[in-house]
Amino acid sequence: MVDFKKPVAKLVESPDDTGAALSSGLAALLLPEMSISGLISTVAALAMVFGGVFPFIPQYRDIHRSQNAEGFSLFVCLTLLIANILRILFWFGKHFEMPLLLQSIIMTFTMLALTHLCVTVKHKSEIIKAKQHNFSDFEWEHFWKWTSFESYIQFTLTFTGCMGLLTYIFLDNWVYVETIGFLAVFAEAMLGAPQFYRNFQNKSTKGMSKKMVAMWTCGDVFKTCYFVLRQAPAQFWICGSLQVMIDISIFIQVFVYRNLVAKPAVS
């Protein structure tokens, strides 16, 4: 049975501990205690595993149907990729609940899929092909604005490799472990910031899925209340509150920009 009251585990001492934690976590998720409480815990765990993906389904469908990705900020994908990769690495330093680990793995692949769709749609919509920009060019002004999906994969693998090596070296350093844990939470808290800035630049929320933001808000309010009620560390509910405020700010943009003529979308 998944026990959400169980405190975070201690630092990993050996690879055997990691394998044992993975095995026990998966067993608890897939083979829950046969009781009402066990069933409820399993449903809650599955909701946490897949719940983070649901808000992006409306946005994915909108982009696929309209073949227009200009209203969605790809930096949302970057933010969640960094947050979830760091959370996965944090697990090797401190074993938190298995559903949260699985959620991060699924979210990572979801963000790559959404990035692939946006890059493909933008490439198809170009009447005059623009100059190609790739990760290997190391042009800061075109960071995360590359024209090939392979560049996004290269960045993701490079970031994961570098941070993975650092984590392996400093795995027994609690300051490093706690730092990447905080960075993962803070990066996720800034999820809506790129979308807010894009809306501000365009003076429009056209092309942005309102359903996606509504799901963000509901999920973030739930998470923040959970952190407060469970007396989680201060950085969790502080970052959660920040995330809710950004979500609400985006909804205010929907109201403010509803009658304005949209500017040409900023790439």
Side-chain angles (χ1 to χ4, degrees), residues 87 129 198:
R87 186 190 288 181
K129 299 302 179 184
R198 188 177 189 84

Side-chain angles (χ1 to χ4, degrees), residues 102-234:
L102 294 177
Q103 179 196 53
S104 293
I105 295 172
I106 292 173
M107 182 63 76
T108 298
F109 286 102
T110 300
M111 289 302 99
L112 289 175
L114 186 54
T115 299
H116 178 266
L117 175 65
C118 291
V119 173
T120 302
V121 167
K122 287 181 179 180
H123 180 73
K124 288 181 178 179
S125 63
E126 288 182 342
I127 299 176
I128 301 176
K129 299 302 179 184
K131 179 184 177 181
Q132 298 294 299
H133 300 287
N134 299 301
F135 172 65
S136 57
D137 296 333
F138 301 108
E139 298 174 310
W140 178 250
E141 63 271 23
H142 296 292
F143 176 76
W144 208 252
K145 299 176 183 178
W146 304 305
T147 51
S148 67
F149 178 65
E150 289 76 12
S151 292
Y152 296 90
I153 294 294
Q154 290 170 6
F155 168 83
T156 303
L157 293 177
T158 302
F159 178 78
T160 303
C162 292
M163 293 305 302
L165 179 60
L166 285 175
T167 302
Y168 177 78
I169 295 173
F170 297 106
L171 191 61
D172 294 327
N173 187 316
W174 70 270
V175 174
Y176 173 82
V177 172
E178 293 295 340
T179 298
I180 63 171
F182 172 78
L183 290 176
V185 176
F186 182 74
E188 186 174 359
M190 298 304 293
L191 167 64
Q195 188 64 56
F196 177 88
Y197 182 65
R198 188 177 189 84
N199 295 342
F200 176 77
Q201 284 184 304
N202 296 338
K203 294 297 184 290
S204 171
T205 58
K206 183 178 180 180
M208 179 196 73
S209 173
K210 281 72 173 179
K211 294 179 182 178
M212 176 187 70
V213 181
M215 291 181 182
W216 279 356
T217 307
C218 292
D220 295 340
V221 169
F222 173 80
K223 285 192 306 182
T224 304
C225 292
Y226 176 86
F227 292 149
V228 172
L229 293 175
R230 296 295 184 184
Q231 297 182 339

Side-chain angles (χ1 to χ4, degrees), residues 251-266:
F251 271 119
I252 293 175
Q253 286 181 319
V254 174
F255 175 78
V256 171
Y257 298 148
R258 70 190 188 284
N259 294 324
L260 297 181
V261 178
K263 293 182 179 180
V266 178

